Amino acid sequence: MSTTVRTAIDIRSFHVDFPEEELAELRDRIAATRWPSRELVSDRSQGVQLAMLQELARYWETEYDWRKAEARLNALAQFTTEIDGVDVHFIHVRSAHESALPLIMTHGWPGSVIELLDTVGPLTDPTARGGSAEDAFHLVLPSLPGYGLSGEPVEIGWDLGRTARAWAELMRRLGYTRYVAQGGDVGAGVTDAMGRQAPEGLIGIHTNLLVPALGGTMPTNTDEERAAAAQIATFGQSGNGYFVEMATRPQTIAYALLDSPVALAAWMVDHDTDAYYKITRAFVDGQPSGGLTRDHVLDNITLYWLTGTGASAARSYWEVARAAALAAAAGQPPPAVSVPVGFTTFPGEIIPAPRSWVEKVYPSLSYFNEAAKGGHFAAWEEPELFSEEVRTAFRTLR
């Protein structure tokens, strides 16, 4: 899978190169899929629709080229370093502008560093797009432990807080003494934890998912707040099956995720309504939404398959649920976020975030914006818009 070159501080260069036999086996497994009968409804209320998944599988088996994804990854500087017993993979792109602000940006599930690749150019080289050199970032994109190209934890305890501490150590090893952090989905949880831990050098955070709203009671005093609460309730009733399974029985779903590529694909695309229908249009109608193209979606799924990380990624949800339960039992509320916080809400996100809620969660809120388009995978779907939100959120901290 990789070739490595060790450095004096134990940061090793990394190159992606999966054997052709593994790609041939993937195609054989797709071809051998045992298909269920068609769903009995006309929407996704029973799950991933047969016609959509069969078209995804057809394209995956006969037209998709993983080597293009490898080339995209290998065009960037990649490394691994062992932190707290896990080999952490990360992409590190230094801007040509030496005054650039270091930024560590964390993906979520069912994503990977692949969902962030199209933001590398806009964030590290804004002048190429008519922007200002003052908006440039030195960019660090780590793969979460147990996701994609990072190693799997071999013991329990890798919750959001432990990952946050690992990211602070990573930035220290890279020599960054002043930096910011951004995250969405699971990455938003990690970034939130970093803000609460306030490691030395962290001067601000930005997220695009209000993670605390999923587990806490939010005010319902206004029409906007009541509508948001109703949407969260709907998600809890009919949209979070993946969340419950991975938070309670990740090992059970793991057998399908590691044995059948089509099962893995179905599990990963059945995340949220907005993204699901956008991905469906890309495969069935040939009409992608921004960066959510057929190839980009399969780049991400194929990475999970080739690395065999469907199970370890699922276990991360069990870790989050376990840590939350232990904290609740101990009656220990988390510390407040003391650093400045930027927040962007995208219209297709799984849960809405009224400004009043964001201010309640983050009293140190310094930037808030409701984006005009984009969904849960905003960096993937709308990389230019997403990058501008990140630049704007951190502009006052430079």
Side-chain angles (χ1 to χ4, degrees), residues 221-237:
N221 300 319
T222 67
D223 289 344
E224 183 184 21
E225 291 175 345
R226 285 187 286 272
Q231 187 170 330
I232 292 176
T234 298
F235 173 72
Q237 292 163 1

Side-chain angles (χ1 to χ4, degrees), residues 13-332:
S13 62
F14 188 90
H15 182 84
V16 184
D17 183 18
F18 285 94
E20 186 60 36
E21 310 88 79
E22 295 187 23
L23 299 176
E25 183 199 20
L26 167 60
R27 291 189 289 269
D28 289 344
R29 283 177 176 263
I30 296 170
T33 299
R34 185 181 182 189
W35 294 97
S37 58
R38 182 187 178 278
E39 64 280 356
L40 303 179
V41 293
S42 60
D43 58 19
R44 71 179 288 258
S45 59
Q46 288 190 339
V48 175
Q49 294 161 292
L50 181 64
M52 180 272 190
L53 201 61
Q54 286 184 324
E55 179 55 27
L56 181 152
R58 182 204 64 78
Y59 185 83
W60 201 4
E61 180 192 354
T62 62
E63 296 185 46
Y64 171 72
D65 184 2
W66 162 254
R67 297 303 183 193
K68 292 181 179 179
E70 280 191 345
R72 291 184 77 206
L73 288 166
N74 290 331
L76 301 171
Q78 299 176 86
F79 305 89
T80 61
T81 187
E82 183 181 323
I83 301 177
D84 201 4
V86 170
D87 278 336
V88 173
H89 164 268
F90 63 98
I91 294 168
H92 185 199
V93 182
R94 286 189 59 86
S95 172
H97 305 290
E98 284 303 313
S99 61
L101 180 64
L103 165 63
I104 183 167
M105 193 156 66
T106 312
H107 67 85
W109 186 91
S112 65
V113 291
I114 283 176
E115 71 179 277
L116 303 176
L117 294 184
D118 285 337
T119 68
V120 172
L123 290 173
T124 61
D125 189 15
T127 57
R129 292 158 175 78
S132 169
E134 285 71 35
D135 282 339
F137 294 93
H138 299 309
L139 195 58
V140 180
L141 305 177
S143 296
L144 287 164
Y147 285 66
L149 297 166
S150 278
E152 293 188 16
V154 295
E155 61 182 6
I156 64 172
W158 272 94
D159 57 13
L160 299 174
R162 189 167 176 177
T163 303
R165 289 188 291 274
W167 280 192
E169 170 60 17
L170 175 60
M171 297 303 276
R172 186 195 67 79
R173 290 187 189 183
L174 294 175
Y176 292 131
T177 58
R178 185 176 183 272
Y179 63 93
V180 292
Q182 196 284 330
D185 193 82
V186 175
V190 173
T191 304
D192 174 272
M194 292 182 74
R196 297 179 191 281
Q197 293 170 3
E200 184 177 0
L202 180 67
I203 63 170
I205 65 172
H206 175 269
T207 74
N208 49 284
L209 179 68
L210 194 61
V211 174
L214 287 170
T217 301
M218 294 289 116
T220 54
N221 300 319
T222 67
D223 289 344
E224 183 184 21
E225 291 175 345
R226 285 187 286 272
Q231 187 170 330
I232 292 176
T234 298
F235 173 72
Q237 292 163 1
S238 60
N240 70 339
Y242 73 92
F243 188 103
V244 174
E245 180 71 15
M246 294 197 296
T248 59
R249 294 294 187 272
Q251 193 68 17
T252 300
I253 191 61
Y255 301 105
L257 302 183
L258 272 290
D259 187 64
S260 166
V262 170
L264 175 68
W267 189 249
M268 292 176 70
V269 301
D270 193 21
H271 180 267
D272 67 276
T273 300
D274 178 74
Y276 172 80
Y277 283 122
K278 287 172 179 174
I279 293 171
T280 296
R281 287 193 293 273
F283 281 99
V284 177
D285 304 322
Q287 299 177 354
S289 178
L292 285 176
T293 66
R294 293 183 300 181
D295 284 346
H296 285 179
V297 170
L298 286 174
D299 289 345
N300 185 58
I301 297 172
T302 305
L303 180 65
Y304 272 71
W305 176 261
L306 293 173
T307 57
T309 50
S312 51
R315 291 187 199 116
S316 72
Y317 275 63
W318 184 89
E319 293 283 5
V320 172
R322 175 177 176 270
L326 290 173
Q332 297 176 343

Side-chain angles (χ1 to χ4, degrees), residues 5-13 79:
V5 178
R6 190 176 298 273
T7 69
I9 56 173
D10 201 30
I11 294 177
R12 305 173 296 279
S13 62
F79 305 89

